[in-house]
């Protein structure tokens, strides 16, 4: 927006509000309208679903309890008390979740939460086989087309599963209660460790596929000191490479992970 | 890191792990090592304090309750149940916190959470007068030196208060229990609305100064549909202008705000 346009916009807004002090301060400021600092960002994509009691969970319990403890009309402000177990909604896994002595979520270095984002599209395979496990060969094929996964990256698995979040297909429980959704095959973990990746993301309820008997990918990946993001949204809006994820893990002292805010800058 | 260095690192790591499938996949990948995608980012600054039960709160109660509900040795993983009221730790205020019908935290458009960050240094005034209220004249003086606050910005108040977070000085309660720390004078709100700012941040417990009788800045700012961040950390590590804040507000459906992850890219 040009300087003059900004001045007109500001003048219009101030005029509508009629706040003389603000107008005086605005007049005193030099006409050095700065461009919005975008750091090369042209698009912001929210990778986070809204968390409500009905959000699907691995175990099937309500995801969160909310109780309004302050009400505007009586107290002058609104406020709730929240209660939940850490691994609900669009949430992070810290190393401590699956390893004795692993880093809690507050100890993940913040620089490891801002990562080149590589998005692996396995929608077709996931549609054909809900319990699909992504293989080292899938990674190799992606790299052949899009280049090597860079040091410090987050590899995100786009199984198209966020489209199912409001339906039983998201948990996809079979008659015996076993869940069926895609995840990483455990031998992808050493490959990504070799690449120096910092994190992984899935749009399903677990880094391991739904009917995993042993959570072997969790054990290998988190056990190596890396982080994970589960129930990511909107991965389909991103390019295969070139975006950046700002992985807003909650900074709870001693936590094993938890709901946070994951945002992609493209 | 050069291609050959990366290949050596990968080979060393994979060798140690002895995972043949991963080695095969690595060999199949083209040697197209990409530079880390930084989107112009050279530095990541964590604006978030770790949240623990002892983190200071406005009301003086423990900030959070954590109960370990799953233990690795018994269950195969670690997990806690968390319980807290929304406005603890480094946390966000949504319009709903102080306005009837205001947007809940999950309804703040994500693009308004990625903002040019303007840092106003009031450390000297805050050290001299703990209950200091930032004025429109302070903003004007900052703009005279650093240029106009850009459209969509977050204005952050660096009162140097994060240095007090582990001491009674953070709440700074007087003999009568009234808190004394800096905040925004209410008439700053219309000025910032005129600038088209999206959010504000403080390194203290409240957008209003500690002994505010009426939370008038909260009412004006949140009532206008804007967001706030309280108890920010490390603002002193940032330039007056030029950084970007990724304001990772929690996406809790219907929430009035809550602990999140605020990260600055400089």
């Amino acid at each position: 927006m040009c300087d003059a346009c900004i001045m007109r916009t500001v003048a219009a807004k101030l005029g509508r509000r009629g706040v003389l002090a603000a107008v005086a301060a605005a007049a005193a400021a030099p006409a050095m309208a700065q461009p919005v600092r975008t750091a090369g960002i042209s698009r912001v994509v929210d990778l986070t679903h809204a968390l409500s009691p009905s959000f699907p969970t691995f175990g099937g319990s309500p995801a969160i309890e909310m109780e309004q403890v302050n009400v505007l009309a009586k107290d002058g402000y609104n406020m709730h008390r929240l209660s939940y177990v850490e691994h609900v909604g669009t949430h992070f896994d810290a190393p401590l979740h699956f390893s004795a002595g692993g880093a809690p979520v507050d100890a993940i270095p913040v620089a490891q939460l801002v990562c080149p984002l590589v998005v692996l599209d396995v929608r077709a395979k996931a549609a054909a086989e809900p319990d699909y496990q992504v293989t080292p060969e899938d990674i190799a094929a992606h790299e052949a087309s899009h280049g090597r996964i860079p040091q410090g990256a987050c590899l995100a698995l786009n199984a198209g599963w966020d489209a199912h979040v409001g339906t039983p297909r998201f948990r996809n429980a079979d008659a015996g209660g076993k869940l069926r959704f895609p995840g990483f095959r455990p031998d992808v973990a050493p490959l990504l460790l070799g690449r120096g990746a910092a994190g992984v993301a899935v749009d399903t309820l677990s880094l391991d596929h739904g009917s995993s008997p042993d959570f072997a990918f969790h054990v290998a990946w988190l056990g190596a000191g890396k982080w994970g993001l589960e129930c990511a949204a909107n991965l389909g809006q991103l390019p295969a490479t070139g975006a950046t994820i700002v992985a807003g893990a909650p900074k709870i002292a001693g936590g094993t992970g938890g709901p946070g805010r994951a945002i992609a800058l493209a």
Side-chain angles (χ1 to χ4, degrees), chain A residues 138-190:
Chain A
D138 290 327
I139 310 286
H142 188 273
E143 289 188 320
S145 296
H146 301 289
R148 194 179 179 83
I149 296 169
Q151 182 78 19
C154 171
L155 177 69
L157 182 56
N158 176 17
W161 225 250
D162 61 344
H164 304 315
V165 76
T167 77
R169 175 80 170 172
F170 194 72
R171 296 181 75 244
N172 202 28
D174 67 15
K178 199 173 277 294
L179 309 186
R180 303 278 178 187
F181 53 72
F184 287 108
R185 208 171 75 184
D187 56 354
V188 168

Side-chain angles (χ1 to χ4, degrees), chain A residues 63-265:
Chain A
I64 185 169
E65 296 171 24
M66 288 182 73
E67 176 198 2
Q68 186 156 0
V69 292
N70 295 98
V71 179
L72 186 72
K74 181 168 76 72
D75 303 309
Y77 59 97
N78 293 309
M79 187 160 71
H80 301 96
R81 175 170 281 277
L82 308 181
S83 175
Y84 53 85
V85 295
E86 291 166 321
H87 297 269
V88 294
T90 300
H91 71 277
F92 291 86
D93 285 5
L96 179 61
H97 186 34
F98 268 85
S99 60
V105 70
D106 60 309
I108 301 171
V110 69
Q112 294 179 15
L113 298 175
V114 180
C115 311
L117 184 58
V118 176
V119 181
L120 178 62
D121 185 350
V122 293
R123 285 177 292 185
K125 289 177 175 174
E129 166 47 49
D131 231 352
Y132 185 71
Q133 297 182 63
V134 169
T135 66
E137 291 70 28
D138 290 327
I139 310 286
H142 188 273
E143 289 188 320
S145 296
H146 301 289
R148 194 179 179 83
I149 296 169
Q151 182 78 19
C154 171
L155 177 69
L157 182 56
N158 176 17
W161 225 250
D162 61 344
H164 304 315
V165 76
T167 77
R169 175 80 170 172
F170 194 72
R171 296 181 75 244
N172 202 28
D174 67 15
K178 199 173 277 294
L179 309 186
R180 303 278 178 187
F181 53 72
F184 287 108
R185 208 171 75 184
D187 56 354
V188 168
L191 190 159
L192 294 179
L193 292 173
R195 293 290 186 275
V200 295
V202 293
D203 57 4
T204 63
L205 274 162
S206 176
L207 306 182
D208 285 277
H209 67 121
S211 60
S212 164
D214 53 9
F215 299 98
F217 183 86
H218 274 87
V219 171
W221 184 247
L222 303 180
K226 304 295 184 174
W227 60 262
L229 173 66
E230 294 169 333
C231 300
N234 298 324
L235 291 169
Q237 296 183 20
L238 293 167
T241 63
T244 298
I245 183 172
V246 181
K251 198 166 175 178
I252 311 289
T256 72
R261 190 68 176 261
I263 291 175
L265 312 176

Side-chain angles (χ1 to χ4, degrees), chain A residues 7-27:
Chain A
M7 291 307 290
R8 279 198 297 275
T9 304
V10 169
K13 290 192 180 179
L14 291 171
R16 280 202 301 277
R17 296 185 181 279
V19 181
L20 294 178
V23 172

